[in-house]
Amino acid sequence: MRATFLGTAAARPTVGRNVTSIIVQREGDTLMFDCGEGTQRQMMRYGTGFSFGDIFFTHLHADHFLGVIGLLRTLGLQAREEPMDLWTPRGTEAILKQAVELGVERVPFEVRINGIDAGEKVARGGYDVVPFRVQHGGKAFGWAVVEHERLGRFNAQKARELGIPEGPLWGRLHHGQPVEVEGRVITPDDVVGEARPGRKLVISGDTRPCQATREIAEGADLLVHEATFGNDEAERAVHTGHSTAREAAEVAAAARVLRLVLTHFSPRYADDPRWLEKEARAVFPETAAAYDGMVVEVPFRAE
Ligand SMILES: [Zn+2]
Ligand SMILES: [Zn+2]
C-alpha cells in the first residue's frame, strides 16, 4: 500500500504546492481522496495514472473538490466508459452534482454520487474504506483504509515433513480446514501460523484534533493528519476548525500510530514547513511534513 500526495496546501495553491488530493494505491486498486483544483495535472506530473473508479471526499470546501470538474471532463476526452463513484458526506450530494453537471458538455460515462454516513463502510476485496465524522463545522469526514486480517503464514517445509502432498490439501489447510493424509488427521494449527493483521491508513481530512480520529487511528500504520497552522496560530486553528502540527502529533501519540505525515499547510508556512515538522516531532518523533509528489510506502509490519 502506498500514498502519493498530489497537493499539500490549505485553501489555495502556492508556487510549490497544489491544493489537497491524495492517491492511495493497493494491489492494483487506485483510490483518490479529495480532488482540489489542478489535481489532474498533478496526476500527470507524478505518474499516478488515470485508471481509477472512486473519489472519496472529506468535505466540500472548494480546496478539496473543485478539481473534479476538470478531471471528469478529461476522463471523458480519454473515451472512458467505466463508471466513476464519488463518495461524499450524506446531505452534500447536491453540491457535488452541480459541479459534475457544470458547463454545456456532458460527461460521457456514468458518474454515481453516493452520499454516505460516518461508520458505513465501502467494502472492497480484502479491505474497507470507512468514513468517520470529524470536527470542521458542517459535514466533514476523515477516511480510513482498513485491510482485513491476512491468513497466517503457511509452513511449506513442515507440510512436506508431514507428508502432505503439495496441491489442494495445502490450500484447504491454509484456509482453516483439517485434512486427512493416509489415515492421519492434520489440522491447520500444524502448518499455519497465526492470522496476521492487515494494514491501516487514516486520513484526517480538515479537522480539529478529535476523539473520532484518535479512535479509528488506534495502532494505524500511517496517519495523515492536517496541520494547517503552527503553535503561533493555535487560536486561529480553534476558530477555523483546523489543527496545529503539535495537535496532530498529540493525536498520533494518543492513537499509538506507527508514523505521522502532516499535510494541508496554510500558505504562510508552505515554503518551509520544516518548523511545523519540528513542533510535531517534539511530541511524536516519527513525523514527516508532506510535499507535492511525496510517496509514502506502507509496508506490512515485520513479523
Ligand atoms: Zn481545506
Ligand atoms: Zn475545509
Side-chain angles (χ1 to χ4, degrees):
M1 189 149 65
R2 132 181 349 131
T4 303
F5 290 80
L6 296 179
T8 54
R12 64 168 175 83
T14 66
V15 172
R17 293 178 190 269
N18 204 51
V19 283
T20 299
S21 182
I22 299 172
I23 294 276
V24 174
Q25 286 163 311
R26 181 194 174 277
E27 291 178 18
D29 284 2
T30 296
L31 315 172
M32 176 179 281
F33 294 88
D34 286 335
C35 187
E37 173 194 349
T39 291
Q40 56 172 322
R41 194 145 180 276
Q42 299 293 84
M43 296 172 77
M44 296 171 202
R45 250 181 123 171
Y46 301 120
T48 57
F50 282 85
S51 52
F52 70 112
D54 298 278
I55 308 177
F56 301 89
F57 292 95
T58 58
H59 64 304
L60 297 184
H61 279 159
D63 59 321
H64 294 256
F65 86 100
L66 286 187
V68 76
I69 299 169
L71 174 58
L72 292 178
R73 276 152 191 76
T74 297
L75 293 173
L77 292 172
Q78 292 172 349
R80 180 190 176 99
E81 289 175 353
E82 303 78 44
M84 173 68 80
D85 280 294
L86 309 182
W87 305 88
T88 190
R90 194 180 302 285
T92 65
E93 298 94 322
I95 302 165
L96 216 45
K97 188 162 183 283
Q98 283 181 332
V100 169
E101 292 176 353
L102 189 68
V104 291
E105 323 86 333
R106 285 288 153 259
V107 177
F109 53 89
E110 189 188 358
V111 179
R112 299 188 288 234
I113 300 175
N114 309 285
I116 186 168
D117 288 314
E120 264 184 70
K121 47 176 94 147
V122 180
R124 290 290 151 87
Y127 66 98
D128 299 317
V129 189
V130 188
F132 56 98
R133 174 83 59 210
V134 294
Q135 290 173 19
H136 186 53
K139 297 191 164 83
F141 283 165
W143 288 94
V145 181
V146 184
E147 287 184 335
H148 301 166
E149 236 181 21
R150 291 180 301 151
L151 297 175
R153 202 174 280 290
F154 188 82
N155 188 335
Q157 196 191 333
K158 185 114 184 270
R160 287 195 192 94
E161 282 167 19
L162 290 169
I164 311 164
E166 191 166 347
L169 292 184
W170 285 27
R172 275 165 57 191
L173 279 165
H174 202 182
H175 285 86
Q177 295 167 14
V179 300
E180 210 181 302
V181 179
E182 293 161 6
R184 290 172 296 142
V185 173
I186 294 161
T187 65
D189 294 353
D190 295 329
V191 290
V192 182
E194 279 192 22
R196 296 164 290 173
R199 292 164 292 187
K200 182 158 68 174
L201 185 161
V202 176
I203 296 170
S204 75
D206 287 12
T207 184
R208 290 290 299 141
C210 66
Q211 187 56 25
T213 313
R214 279 187 285 267
E215 274 172 20
I216 203 155
E218 177 68 38
D221 298 83
L222 176 64
L223 170 63
V224 177
H225 202 292
E226 73 122 293
T228 310
F229 297 112
N231 287 338
D232 60 323
E233 292 273 31
E235 238 171 82
R236 197 152 152 229
V238 176
H239 294 139
T240 56
H242 288 294
S243 302
T244 65
R246 189 192 166 83
E247 287 169 333
E250 285 165 355
V251 173
R256 293 184 289 261
V257 305
L258 218 53
R259 275 195 298 166
L260 169 66
V261 173
L262 306 175
T263 186
H264 197 268
F265 306 119
S266 161
R268 57 170 296 172
Y269 309 95
D271 286 344
D272 186 9
R274 269 176 302 179
W275 59 280
L276 292 185
E277 200 176 67
K278 206 171 152 209
E279 285 178 0
R281 281 183 181 168
V283 175
F284 188 79
E286 289 303 315
T287 302
Y291 52 86
D292 289 19
M294 183 187 195
V295 177
V296 180
E297 298 286 347
V298 185
F300 285 110
R301 299 200 183 194
E303 285 157 49

